[in-house]
Amino acid sequence: MLVLLLATLVAPSLAHAHVGVSETSGFLHGMGHPLSGVDHICAMIAVGLWAAQLGGRSVWAIPSTLIMVMALGGILGMMGLNVPFVETGIVASVLILGVLIAASVRLPLAAGMAIVGLFAIFHGQAHGAGMPETALGTAYAAGFLMATALLSASGIGLGMAIQNLATPRIIRFAGIAIVLCGGYLFLS
């Protein structure tokens, strides 16, 4: 007890809850935002899984579309511009991407990019609107875009590993799991 009292006297910041525990704005906060919600995690990984399932140019074009259009949506959110039905669009993205993977839907590249781009507007707006007022916009945006890229890359890696090491049908089970997550989000 005496040690704790002395430590509190020597370092007053130890007496305050959550002081210095983590960054409250900037890059790390932006990176943490997509990682703090199952909706964003499922959607970003699903984009990578679907891109890997489609193969070819989709492997880079679809995730690139996600990141570029998400940046645009983030700017809208940072500017305080509301996109209608953001939460519905986010839940729909999880459900629809899961169905596309589970049903092994193959669309033309432009259609796949358009679908992912539409969903990216919703996710980007939510991330941009969630930016703390004290955050540096560019650092925060770089953080949430980096987390998005890492989650999508994880989906691509997982999708390619599944297709190379197991039967490609296994990736469809991942789609079903994503649909179940979307169903949970829809009901909650």
Side-chain angles (χ1 to χ4, degrees), residues 162-181:
I162 289 170
Q163 292 182 78
N164 290 332
L165 301 175
T167 175
R169 287 185 174 181
I170 302 262
I171 201 168
R172 296 172 83 178
F173 290 115
I176 292 168
I178 292 168
V179 170
L180 292 174
C181 286

Side-chain angles (χ1 to χ4, degrees), residues 34-84:
L35 302 173
S36 65
V38 72
D39 52 351
H40 297 294
I41 292 170
C42 284
M44 302 312 127
I45 289 175
V47 166
L49 282 170
W50 191 41
Q53 188 180 43
L54 293 172
R57 294 186 318 171
S58 296
V59 173
W60 64 267
I62 287 180
S64 295
T65 299
L66 172 74
I67 293 164
M68 288 187 294
V69 178
M70 186 177 265
L72 175 64
I75 290 168
L76 295 175
M78 288 176 190
M79 292 174 53
L81 298 173
N82 291 325
V83 173

